[in-house]
Amino acid sequence: MSVDKAIEGGGRDAALAAQISSQAVPRRALGDLFFRGLTGFTAIFLLSVLIAIGVALWREGWDAFRTFGFGFLWSTAWNPVTDQYGALIFIFGTLVSSLLAMLMAVPVSFGIALFISELAPHWLRQPISSAIELLAGIPSIIFGMWGLLVFAPVFGNMEPWINGHLGKIPGVGLLFQGPPMGIGMLTAGIVLGIMIIPFISAIMRDVFLSTPGILKESAYALGGTTWEVMRHVVLPFTRTAVVGSIFLGLGRALGETMAVTFVIGNTDSLSASLLMPGNSIAAALANEFTEATTHLYKSSLLALGFILFVVSFLVLVLAKFMLWRMEKRIGGGAL
């Protein structure tokens, strides 16, 4: 009799458990469906905002493209009095200043990240890391003011030496000839490089530290030097994140406004010398947007904004393509 009761009780427990489970599954499925919908909406919303920005810039700058055609991209004219506008000066200044910044920032950032992750003693690692994070949080206008008030006068005193030595080198000497004003394309590139170093080095430091210790210890056990371990172990393991940090810094340099505005010179002229003043798209928008009194003038400035938007988008596409090629090559090598 007791056995029959036990069997009956067990059957009721199993039925109750099945009922509870049948109620929990729909609730869990409803929660997953809500979370998926929320995250999908957020992603689509951000994509919509990106498309809306591009469409708005294209629509507002259409009059400039319609008036000047594709010649707007390579024209050096910029005269609000006669309503003649071209974008080449600003495109050139944006690309050159960003390239100079990257030539300076990438090797320095790599050295900082290498020192923190592999060479620095433990008591010094945290203070340097905190200093880098503090520099990354400083507003760009502070870098611009420092560049104008501190760096530009010092660099202006160095320019006669640059003219006398680098300016006489055949072929590249033309890049280092100009009056010792302290401000110009090279100054803007250096200030930009100093500004983006904290961003690139902070990411490189984190990914270098994320490398499994057993991989590095194995390389050291085989007699590898610090540079050999970084080159053959750490960099292959973190190459995707390293490339991503470099393009993140490039994107920051391309769109920087205030730091460049203070030190680039804001001159609507094209010169081969890096010591001469120039201009960039972001600096032109900051300086002239409030002064755009005619519809074509305003449309031309917004067309510059659309060009900067396209350049930034192409940089992102190039970064994604390079990362895809790296992952494909790594996968092919593994096979």
Side-chain angles (χ1 to χ4, degrees):
M1 186 70 177
S2 59
V3 175
D4 295 336
K5 289 183 178 180
I7 294 174
E8 183 180 356
R12 286 198 300 266
D13 293 341
L16 181 61
Q19 184 180 2
I20 295 174
S21 177
S22 64
Q23 294 176 355
V25 170
R27 292 177 182 175
R28 189 181 303 115
L30 182 62
D32 291 343
L33 182 62
F34 173 76
F35 181 74
R36 180 182 301 176
L38 179 62
T39 54
F41 171 78
T42 305
I44 294 175
F45 175 75
L46 292 178
L47 179 61
S48 301
V49 171
L50 179 67
I51 295 175
I53 292 174
V55 171
L57 291 173
W58 169 259
R59 183 182 61 187
E60 296 296 330
W62 169 246
D63 286 341
F65 290 118
R66 181 179 59 184
T67 302
F68 303 110
F70 286 103
F72 180 77
L73 298 176
W74 52 77
S75 173
T76 58
W78 192 265
N79 192 344
V81 177
T82 60
D83 261 352
Q84 296 294 321
Y85 304 101
L88 182 60
I89 295 173
F90 310 103
I91 296 174
F92 177 80
T94 300
L95 296 179
V96 170
S97 60
S98 300
L99 178 61
L100 292 173
M102 297 306 294
L103 289 176
M104 171 185 174
V106 172
V108 174
S109 299
F110 178 80
I112 293 174
L114 171 62
F115 177 76
I116 294 176
S117 62
E118 299 295 330
L119 302 176
H122 290 285
W123 63 268
L124 185 60
R125 180 176 299 175
Q126 187 58 43
I128 297 179
S129 299
S130 300
I132 292 175
E133 294 168 358
L134 178 63
L135 284 174
I138 295 178
S140 60
I141 192 173
I142 303 300
F143 283 98
M145 295 173 64
W146 171 83
L148 179 65
L149 301 177
V150 178
F151 179 74
V154 175
F155 190 69
N157 293 330
M158 297 172 56
E159 287 184 354
W161 183 91
I162 295 176
N163 279 322
H165 293 79
L166 300 182
K168 296 181 179 180
I169 300 177
V172 299
L174 185 62
L175 300 175
F176 303 100
Q177 295 177 359
M181 295 184 291
I183 59 175
M185 197 72 69
L186 184 57
T187 305
I190 295 175
V191 172
L192 265 181
I194 295 173
M195 192 188 71
I196 65 177
I197 281 175
F199 294 92
I200 303 177
S201 59
I203 298 176
M204 286 187 178
R205 173 206 62 192
D206 292 339
V207 298
F208 287 170
L209 291 174
S210 69
T211 305
I214 190 172
L215 296 180
K216 295 187 290 185
E217 292 171 3
S218 300
Y220 283 123
L222 292 174
T225 63
T226 301
W227 169 245
E228 290 173 341
V229 171
M230 288 297 299
R231 180 181 177 184
H232 298 292
V233 177
V234 177
L235 277 180
F237 185 81
T238 61
R239 69 177 70 190
T240 300
V242 169
V243 173
S245 68
I246 293 174
F247 278 94
L248 177 64
L250 178 58
R252 179 67 187 270
L254 287 171
E256 179 52 44
T257 304
M258 298 310 300
V260 176
T261 303
F262 273 93
V263 297
I264 199 171
N266 304 303
T267 300
D268 300 334
S269 60
L270 200 61
S271 175
S273 176
L274 299 178
L275 303 182
M276 294 295 292
N279 213 336
S280 69
I281 294 177
L285 293 174
N287 288 325
E288 303 186 29
F289 195 80
T290 57
E291 301 176 0
T293 55
T294 64
H295 178 73
L296 186 59
Y297 191 3
K298 182 179 179 180
S299 179
S300 299
L301 290 173
L302 290 170
L304 289 178
F306 178 76
I307 293 173
L308 182 59
F309 178 83
V310 172
V311 170
S312 302
F313 179 77
L314 292 178
V315 167
L316 177 61
V317 171
L318 179 62
K320 293 295 183 181
F321 177 75
M322 290 183 62
L323 294 177
W324 175 76
R325 288 291 301 271
M326 285 183 178
E327 293 175 357
K328 184 178 179 181
R329 186 165 59 247
I330 293 174
L335 293 175

PDB file of all heavy atoms in Angstrom, residues 15 65 67 72 74-75 78 86 98-99 104 134 140 164 170 174 196 198 226 228-230 251 262 271 290 320-321:
ATOM      1  N   ALA A  15       4.247  15.510 -12.632  1.00  0.00           N
ATOM      2  CA  ALA A  15       3.289  16.325 -13.378  1.00  0.00           C
ATOM      3  C   ALA A  15       3.426  17.797 -13.017  1.00  0.00           C
ATOM      4  O   ALA A  15       3.361  18.683 -13.884  1.00  0.00           O
ATOM      5  CB  ALA A  15       1.864  15.826 -13.103  1.00  0.00           C
ATOM      6  N   PHE A  65      28.028  71.000 -55.167  1.00  0.00           N
ATOM      7  CA  PHE A  65      28.415  69.983 -56.150  1.00  0.00           C
ATOM      8  C   PHE A  65      27.752  70.244 -57.505  1.00  0.00           C
ATOM      9  O   PHE A  65      28.365  70.033 -58.555  1.00  0.00           O
ATOM     10  CB  PHE A  65      28.033  68.588 -55.642  1.00  0.00           C
ATOM     11  CG  PHE A  65      28.855  68.115 -54.483  1.00  0.00           C
ATOM     12  CD1 PHE A  65      28.257  67.850 -53.258  1.00  0.00           C
ATOM     13  CD2 PHE A  65      30.225  67.944 -54.598  1.00  0.00           C
ATOM     14  CE1 PHE A  65      29.006  67.412 -52.188  1.00  0.00           C
ATOM     15  CE2 PHE A  65      30.984  67.504 -53.532  1.00  0.00           C
ATOM     16  CZ  PHE A  65      30.374  67.242 -52.320  1.00  0.00           C
ATOM     17  N   THR A  67      26.861  73.198 -58.687  1.00  0.00           N
ATOM     18  CA  THR A  67      27.418  74.420 -59.279  1.00  0.00           C
ATOM     19  C   THR A  67      28.814  74.191 -59.840  1.00  0.00           C
ATOM     20  O   THR A  67      29.133  74.627 -60.953  1.00  0.00           O
ATOM     21  CB  THR A  67      27.447  75.547 -58.236  1.00  0.00           C
ATOM     22  OG1 THR A  67      26.120  75.774 -57.744  1.00  0.00           O
ATOM     23  CG2 THR A  67      27.990  76.829 -58.845  1.00  0.00           C
ATOM     24  N   PHE A  72      34.940  70.677 -57.931  1.00  0.00           N
ATOM     25  CA  PHE A  72      34.964  71.151 -56.542  1.00  0.00           C
ATOM     26  C   PHE A  72      36.003  70.393 -55.722  1.00  0.00           C
ATOM     27  O   PHE A  72      36.589  70.954 -54.797  1.00  0.00           O
ATOM     28  CB  PHE A  72      33.573  70.981 -55.931  1.00  0.00           C
ATOM     29  CG  PHE A  72      33.472  71.427 -54.502  1.00  0.00           C
ATOM     30  CD1 PHE A  72      33.388  72.763 -54.176  1.00  0.00           C
ATOM     31  CD2 PHE A  72      33.469  70.482 -53.481  1.00  0.00           C
ATOM     32  CE1 PHE A  72      33.296  73.163 -52.846  1.00  0.00           C
ATOM     33  CE2 PHE A  72      33.377  70.870 -52.162  1.00  0.00           C
ATOM     34  CZ  PHE A  72      33.285  72.221 -51.845  1.00  0.00           C
ATOM     35  N   TRP A  74      38.995  69.171 -56.705  1.00  0.00           N
ATOM     36  CA  TRP A  74      40.399  69.491 -56.954  1.00  0.00           C
ATOM     37  C   TRP A  74      40.651  70.961 -57.272  1.00  0.00           C
ATOM     38  O   TRP A  74      41.714  71.331 -57.737  1.00  0.00           O
ATOM     39  CB  TRP A  74      40.964  68.627 -58.081  1.00  0.00           C
ATOM     40  CG  TRP A  74      40.161  68.632 -59.346  1.00  0.00           C
ATOM     41  CD1 TRP A  74      40.118  69.605 -60.304  1.00  0.00           C
ATOM     42  CD2 TRP A  74      39.278  67.607 -59.797  1.00  0.00           C
ATOM     43  NE1 TRP A  74      39.276  69.261 -61.313  1.00  0.00           N
ATOM     44  CE2 TRP A  74      38.738  68.025 -61.025  1.00  0.00           C
ATOM     45  CE3 TRP A  74      38.887  66.367 -59.293  1.00  0.00           C
ATOM     46  CZ2 TRP A  74      37.828  67.252 -61.753  1.00  0.00           C
ATOM     47  CZ3 TRP A  74      37.993  65.614 -60.007  1.00  0.00           C
ATOM     48  CH2 TRP A  74      37.481  66.047 -61.218  1.00  0.00           C
ATOM     49  N   SER A  75      39.699  71.798 -57.002  1.00  0.00           N
ATOM     50  CA  SER A  75      39.889  73.234 -57.197  1.00  0.00           C
ATOM     51  C   SER A  75      40.505  73.843 -55.939  1.00  0.00           C
ATOM     52  O   SER A  75      40.145  73.493 -54.816  1.00  0.00           O
ATOM     53  CB  SER A  75      38.556  73.910 -57.494  1.00  0.00           C
ATOM     54  OG  SER A  75      38.710  75.322 -57.533  1.00  0.00           O
ATOM     55  N   TRP A  78      39.019  79.478 -53.223  1.00  0.00           N
ATOM     56  CA  TRP A  78      38.137  79.651 -52.063  1.00  0.00           C
ATOM     57  C   TRP A  78      38.002  81.151 -51.810  1.00  0.00           C
ATOM     58  O   TRP A  78      38.773  81.759 -51.096  1.00  0.00           O
ATOM     59  CB  TRP A  78      38.683  78.941 -50.836  1.00  0.00           C
ATOM     60  CG  TRP A  78      37.673  78.867 -49.723  1.00  0.00           C
ATOM     61  CD1 TRP A  78      37.546  79.718 -48.672  1.00  0.00           C
ATOM     62  CD2 TRP A  78      36.636  77.890 -49.580  1.00  0.00           C
ATOM     63  NE1 TRP A  78      36.498  79.333 -47.873  1.00  0.00           N
ATOM     64  CE2 TRP A  78      35.925  78.213 -48.397  1.00  0.00           C
ATOM     65  CE3 TRP A  78      36.243  76.778 -50.319  1.00  0.00           C
ATOM     66  CZ2 TRP A  78      34.837  77.466 -47.954  1.00  0.00           C
ATOM     67  CZ3 TRP A  78      35.170  76.037 -49.868  1.00  0.00           C
ATOM     68  CH2 TRP A  78      34.478  76.370 -48.715  1.00  0.00           C
ATOM     69  N   GLY A  86      36.446  75.700 -53.717  1.00  0.00           N
ATOM     70  CA  GLY A  86      37.048  74.411 -54.038  1.00  0.00           C
ATOM     71  C   GLY A  86      37.543  73.751 -52.762  1.00  0.00           C
ATOM     72  O   GLY A  86      37.856  74.425 -51.770  1.00  0.00           O
ATOM     73  N   SER A  98      47.003  64.605 -40.770  1.00  0.00           N
ATOM     74  CA  SER A  98      46.696  63.308 -40.158  1.00  0.00           C
ATOM     75  C   SER A  98      47.816  62.311 -40.410  1.00  0.00           C
ATOM     76  O   SER A  98      48.169  61.516 -39.517  1.00  0.00           O
ATOM     77  CB  SER A  98      45.376  62.766 -40.706  1.00  0.00           C
ATOM     78  OG  SER A  98      44.306  63.647 -40.420  1.00  0.00           O
ATOM     79  N   LEU A  99      48.387  62.320 -41.627  1.00  0.00           N
ATOM     80  CA  LEU A  99      49.496  61.421 -41.931  1.00  0.00           C
ATOM     81  C   LEU A  99      50.714  61.728 -41.068  1.00  0.00           C
ATOM     82  O   LEU A  99      51.363  60.805 -40.541  1.00  0.00           O
ATOM     83  CB  LEU A  99      49.857  61.526 -43.410  1.00  0.00           C
ATOM     84  CG  LEU A  99      51.040  60.679 -43.883  1.00  0.00           C
ATOM     85  CD1 LEU A  99      50.761  59.197 -43.662  1.00  0.00           C
ATOM     86  CD2 LEU A  99      51.350  60.945 -45.359  1.00  0.00           C
ATOM     87  N   MET A 104      54.107  59.973 -36.393  1.00  0.00           N
ATOM     88  CA  MET A 104      54.692  60.235 -35.088  1.00  0.00           C
ATOM     89  C   MET A 104      54.063  59.356 -34.009  1.00  0.00           C
ATOM     90  O   MET A 104      54.758  58.797 -33.156  1.00  0.00           O
ATOM     91  CB  MET A 104      54.503  61.708 -34.718  1.00  0.00           C
ATOM     92  CG  MET A 104      54.877  62.037 -33.288  1.00  0.00           C
ATOM     93  SD  MET A 104      54.503  63.735 -32.860  1.00  0.00           S
ATOM     94  CE  MET A 104      54.895  63.719 -31.107  1.00  0.00           C
ATOM     95  N   LEU A 134      44.808  59.835 -18.223  1.00  0.00           N
ATOM     96  CA  LEU A 134      44.509  61.242 -17.942  1.00  0.00           C
ATOM     97  C   LEU A 134      44.691  62.092 -19.187  1.00  0.00           C
ATOM     98  O   LEU A 134      43.868  62.970 -19.480  1.00  0.00           O
ATOM     99  CB  LEU A 134      45.408  61.746 -16.811  1.00  0.00           C
ATOM    100  CG  LEU A 134      45.246  63.225 -16.430  1.00  0.00           C
ATOM    101  CD1 LEU A 134      43.835  63.482 -15.893  1.00  0.00           C
ATOM    102  CD2 LEU A 134      46.280  63.618 -15.368  1.00  0.00           C
ATOM    103  N   SER A 140      40.437  68.493 -26.431  1.00  0.00           N
ATOM    104  CA  SER A 140      41.344  68.827 -27.521  1.00  0.00           C
ATOM    105  C   SER A 140      41.699  70.307 -27.556  1.00  0.00           C
ATOM    106  O   SER A 140      42.784  70.685 -28.007  1.00  0.00           O
ATOM    107  CB  SER A 140      40.728  68.411 -28.857  1.00  0.00           C
ATOM    108  OG  SER A 140      39.495  69.071 -29.065  1.00  0.00           O
ATOM    109  N   GLY A 164      68.070  75.347 -42.447  1.00  0.00           N
ATOM    110  CA  GLY A 164      69.485  75.302 -42.806  1.00  0.00           C
ATOM    111  C   GLY A 164      70.018  73.901 -43.025  1.00  0.00           C
ATOM    112  O   GLY A 164      71.026  73.747 -43.731  1.00  0.00           O
ATOM    113  N   PRO A 170      68.579  67.338 -51.047  1.00  0.00           N
ATOM    114  CA  PRO A 170      67.966  67.251 -52.385  1.00  0.00           C
ATOM    115  C   PRO A 170      66.720  66.375 -52.370  1.00  0.00           C
ATOM    116  O   PRO A 170      66.678  65.333 -51.744  1.00  0.00           O
ATOM    117  CB  PRO A 170      69.081  66.620 -53.244  1.00  0.00           C
ATOM    118  CG  PRO A 170      70.342  66.892 -52.500  1.00  0.00           C
ATOM    119  CD  PRO A 170      69.982  66.880 -51.046  1.00  0.00           C
ATOM    120  N   LEU A 174      62.448  70.667 -50.102  1.00  0.00           N
ATOM    121  CA  LEU A 174      61.331  71.574 -50.319  1.00  0.00           C
ATOM    122  C   LEU A 174      60.284  71.469 -49.220  1.00  0.00           C
ATOM    123  O   LEU A 174      59.555  72.433 -48.952  1.00  0.00           O
ATOM    124  CB  LEU A 174      60.690  71.274 -51.676  1.00  0.00           C
ATOM    125  CG  LEU A 174      59.563  72.203 -52.143  1.00  0.00           C
ATOM    126  CD1 LEU A 174      60.079  73.633 -52.307  1.00  0.00           C
ATOM    127  CD2 LEU A 174      58.959  71.694 -53.441  1.00  0.00           C
ATOM    128  N   ILE A 196      46.768  62.101 -30.027  1.00  0.00           N
ATOM    129  CA  ILE A 196      46.212  60.762 -30.248  1.00  0.00           C
ATOM    130  C   ILE A 196      47.097  59.658 -29.681  1.00  0.00           C
ATOM    131  O   ILE A 196      46.674  58.501 -29.647  1.00  0.00           O
ATOM    132  CB  ILE A 196      45.959  60.501 -31.743  1.00  0.00           C
ATOM    133  CG1 ILE A 196      47.277  60.491 -32.533  1.00  0.00           C
ATOM    134  CG2 ILE A 196      44.990  61.514 -32.315  1.00  0.00           C
ATOM    135  CD1 ILE A 196      47.093  60.154 -34.009  1.00  0.00           C
ATOM    136  N   PRO A 198      47.824  58.997 -26.526  1.00  0.00           N
ATOM    137  CA  PRO A 198      47.189  58.283 -25.401  1.00  0.00           C
ATOM    138  C   PRO A 198      46.136  57.275 -25.831  1.00  0.00           C
ATOM    139  O   PRO A 198      46.020  56.203 -25.217  1.00  0.00           O
ATOM    140  CB  PRO A 198      46.562  59.424 -24.584  1.00  0.00           C
ATOM    141  CG  PRO A 198      47.357  60.631 -24.927  1.00  0.00           C
ATOM    142  CD  PRO A 198      47.733  60.458 -26.356  1.00  0.00           C
ATOM    143  N   THR A 226      63.229  40.253 -25.665  1.00  0.00           N
ATOM    144  CA  THR A 226      61.959  40.959 -25.509  1.00  0.00           C
ATOM    145  C   THR A 226      61.394  41.364 -26.858  1.00  0.00           C
ATOM    146  O   THR A 226      60.178  41.229 -27.110  1.00  0.00           O
ATOM    147  CB  THR A 226      62.161  42.213 -24.633  1.00  0.00           C
ATOM    148  OG1 THR A 226      62.657  41.815 -23.351  1.00  0.00           O
ATOM    149  CG2 THR A 226      60.846  42.968 -24.450  1.00  0.00           C
ATOM    150  N   GLU A 228      62.002  39.928 -29.770  1.00  0.00           N
ATOM    151  CA  GLU A 228      61.584  38.733 -30.493  1.00  0.00           C
ATOM    152  C   GLU A 228      60.253  38.202 -29.975  1.00  0.00           C
ATOM    153  O   GLU A 228      59.408  37.729 -30.746  1.00  0.00           O
ATOM    154  CB  GLU A 228      62.669  37.666 -30.382  1.00  0.00           C
ATOM    155  CG  GLU A 228      63.928  37.998 -31.172  1.00  0.00           C
ATOM    156  CD  GLU A 228      65.050  37.020 -30.908  1.00  0.00           C
ATOM    157  OE1 GLU A 228      65.005  36.318 -29.869  1.00  0.00           O
ATOM    158  OE2 GLU A 228      65.983  36.950 -31.733  1.00  0.00           O
ATOM    159  N   VAL A 229      60.057  38.282 -28.670  1.00  0.00           N
ATOM    160  CA  VAL A 229      58.779  37.849 -28.104  1.00  0.00           C
ATOM    161  C   VAL A 229      57.657  38.756 -28.578  1.00  0.00           C
ATOM    162  O   VAL A 229      56.564  38.279 -28.936  1.00  0.00           O
ATOM    163  CB  VAL A 229      58.856  37.830 -26.560  1.00  0.00           C
ATOM    164  CG1 VAL A 229      57.475  37.585 -25.951  1.00  0.00           C
ATOM    165  CG2 VAL A 229      59.839  36.775 -26.090  1.00  0.00           C
ATOM    166  N   MET A 230      57.896  40.071 -28.605  1.00  0.00           N
ATOM    167  CA  MET A 230      56.871  41.003 -29.070  1.00  0.00           C
ATOM    168  C   MET A 230      56.568  40.778 -30.546  1.00  0.00           C
ATOM    169  O   MET A 230      55.397  40.798 -30.966  1.00  0.00           O
ATOM    170  CB  MET A 230      57.336  42.441 -28.861  1.00  0.00           C
ATOM    171  CG  MET A 230      57.356  42.882 -27.406  1.00  0.00           C
ATOM    172  SD  MET A 230      55.714  42.871 -26.642  1.00  0.00           S
ATOM    173  CE  MET A 230      54.872  44.051 -27.691  1.00  0.00           C
ATOM    174  N   GLY A 251      41.121  58.002 -37.261  1.00  0.00           N
ATOM    175  CA  GLY A 251      39.804  58.630 -37.306  1.00  0.00           C
ATOM    176  C   GLY A 251      39.715  59.844 -36.410  1.00  0.00           C
ATOM    177  O   GLY A 251      39.085  60.848 -36.769  1.00  0.00           O
ATOM    178  N   PHE A 262      44.007  75.939 -33.850  1.00  0.00           N
ATOM    179  CA  PHE A 262      44.917  76.834 -33.142  1.00  0.00           C
ATOM    180  C   PHE A 262      46.289  76.930 -33.809  1.00  0.00           C
ATOM    181  O   PHE A 262      46.932  77.989 -33.726  1.00  0.00           O
ATOM    182  CB  PHE A 262      45.099  76.353 -31.700  1.00  0.00           C
ATOM    183  CG  PHE A 262      44.059  76.875 -30.748  1.00  0.00           C
ATOM    184  CD1 PHE A 262      42.923  76.144 -30.500  1.00  0.00           C
ATOM    185  CD2 PHE A 262      44.212  78.098 -30.115  1.00  0.00           C
ATOM    186  CE1 PHE A 262      41.951  76.600 -29.627  1.00  0.00           C
ATOM    187  CE2 PHE A 262      43.258  78.572 -29.246  1.00  0.00           C
ATOM    188  CZ  PHE A 262      42.113  77.825 -28.990  1.00  0.00           C
ATOM    189  N   SER A 271      50.669  74.764 -50.310  1.00  0.00           N
ATOM    190  CA  SER A 271      52.120  74.859 -50.349  1.00  0.00           C
ATOM    191  C   SER A 271      52.723  73.487 -50.136  1.00  0.00           C
ATOM    192  O   SER A 271      52.189  72.665 -49.378  1.00  0.00           O
ATOM    193  CB  SER A 271      52.628  75.822 -49.264  1.00  0.00           C
ATOM    194  OG  SER A 271      54.041  75.840 -49.227  1.00  0.00           O
ATOM    195  N   THR A 290      29.904  80.268 -39.222  1.00  0.00           N
ATOM    196  CA  THR A 290      29.063  81.382 -38.760  1.00  0.00           C
ATOM    197  C   THR A 290      29.152  82.594 -39.681  1.00  0.00           C
ATOM    198  O   THR A 290      28.324  83.493 -39.584  1.00  0.00           O
ATOM    199  CB  THR A 290      29.468  81.789 -37.338  1.00  0.00           C
ATOM    200  OG1 THR A 290      30.856  82.139 -37.317  1.00  0.00           O
ATOM    201  CG2 THR A 290      29.224  80.652 -36.367  1.00  0.00           C
ATOM    202  N   LYS A 320      38.326  47.693 -41.814  1.00  0.00           N
ATOM    203  CA  LYS A 320      37.615  46.419 -41.800  1.00  0.00           C
ATOM    204  C   LYS A 320      38.178  45.459 -42.847  1.00  0.00           C
ATOM    205  O   LYS A 320      38.294  44.246 -42.594  1.00  0.00           O
ATOM    206  CB  LYS A 320      36.125  46.662 -42.071  1.00  0.00           C
ATOM    207  CG  LYS A 320      35.407  47.407 -40.972  1.00  0.00           C
ATOM    208  CD  LYS A 320      35.369  46.596 -39.697  1.00  0.00           C
ATOM    209  CE  LYS A 320      34.589  47.306 -38.615  1.00  0.00           C
ATOM    210  NZ  LYS A 320      34.566  46.531 -37.343  1.00  0.00           N
ATOM    211  N   PHE A 321      38.541  45.985 -44.008  1.00  0.00           N
ATOM    212  CA  PHE A 321      39.099  45.140 -45.062  1.00  0.00           C
ATOM    213  C   PHE A 321      40.447  44.560 -44.647  1.00  0.00           C
ATOM    214  O   PHE A 321      40.721  43.368 -44.863  1.00  0.00           O
ATOM    215  CB  PHE A 321      39.239  45.946 -46.349  1.00  0.00           C
ATOM    216  CG  PHE A 321      39.865  45.192 -47.483  1.00  0.00           C
ATOM    217  CD1 PHE A 321      39.142  44.222 -48.170  1.00  0.00           C
ATOM    218  CD2 PHE A 321      41.174  45.442 -47.875  1.00  0.00           C
ATOM    219  CE1 PHE A 321      39.721  43.511 -49.212  1.00  0.00           C
ATOM    220  CE2 PHE A 321      41.758  44.747 -48.915  1.00  0.00           C
ATOM    221  CZ  PHE A 321      41.025  43.774 -49.587  1.00  0.00           C
TER     222      PHE A 321
END
